[in-house]
Amino acid sequence: MASEFSSELAEDCLRMFFSTDTTGFNFDTLGSTSLFVALTSGQTGVDGSLSAELANANNYARVAVAFDSASIQGVSGQPGSAQIQNNGAVQFAAFTGSITGVDGFAICKSGTHGTSDVLCYGNITSIDIDPGDTVTFADNAITIKLD
C-alpha cells in the first residue's frame, strides 16, 4: 500500500528544515538558523555531496539565505505538496575574476566552501561572470518544493 504526505505534513517538513518558526512540532534541534547558497557549475549530487561548487577564488563565497515560514504554502492542485521561498534578496559580492558556465545553486547547511552539506539544489540559466559582476537572487526567487 502506497502512502503520500498530506499538504500539512509537507508544510511541516519545510518549516522544520528551512525555517526557525516553531509552530507545530518542537524544532529546537532540527530547524536551521544558518543556511547558505552555493553557486555551481555542473550538477550537484542528490546524495548531499557538492561536486561542482565554484572554485574558492575570485572573491566567491557562499552567502547566507533565510526562508520565510509565512511563504510556506500548499501547491494548488497538488495534494501533499508544499513550497517555501527565500526571504530577502541573496547577493554575492562582486567577483574579481572571470567565471564561465555558472548554471546552478545549492542550499547548504554551512558557509564553508567545499563542504558537502547540500539540502537541495536547482538549475539556473547558464551565465558567465566578469570581474565586477555580482549574482543576485531576488526576494522569493528561490523556491523549494516538496511533492
Side-chain angles (χ1 to χ4, degrees):
M1 169 189 267
S3 178
E4 295 193 22
F5 278 16
S6 68
S7 293
E8 182 175 348
L9 181 57
E11 290 171 16
D12 285 342
C13 287
L14 288 173
R15 188 174 290 111
M16 180 171 58
F17 289 106
F18 297 101
S19 173
T20 57
D21 181 2
T22 58
T23 305
F25 293 99
N26 179 356
F27 301 123
D28 289 346
T29 58
L30 298 175
S32 181
T33 58
S34 300
L35 294 173
F36 297 86
V37 177
L39 294 177
T40 61
S41 181
Q43 186 63 34
T44 303
V46 296
D47 61 356
S49 66
L50 190 56
S51 59
E53 184 172 10
L54 298 187
N56 193 13
N58 297 313
N59 203 35
Y60 165 74
R62 293 181 183 183
V63 176
V65 61
F67 290 89
D68 186 1
S69 63
S71 74
I72 296 174
Q73 59 184 330
V75 179
S76 179
Q78 298 181 27
S81 295
Q83 63 186 27
I84 188 171
Q85 295 175 310
N86 62 302
N87 183 23
V90 176
Q91 183 170 5
F92 289 81
F95 288 84
T96 58
S98 296
I99 304 171
T100 58
V102 178
D103 61 4
F105 68 94
I107 305 300
C108 304
K109 296 186 286 185
S110 165
T112 304
H113 180 271
T115 304
S116 289
D117 56 357
V118 175
L119 294 176
C120 55
Y121 61 92
N123 296 318
I124 60 173
T125 300
S126 184
I127 58 172
D128 294 333
I129 298 171
D130 292 317
D133 286 354
T134 61
V135 173
T136 302
F137 292 90
D139 183 34
N140 296 320
I142 300 172
T143 300
I144 298 171
K145 181 179 171 188
L146 267 180
D147 58 0

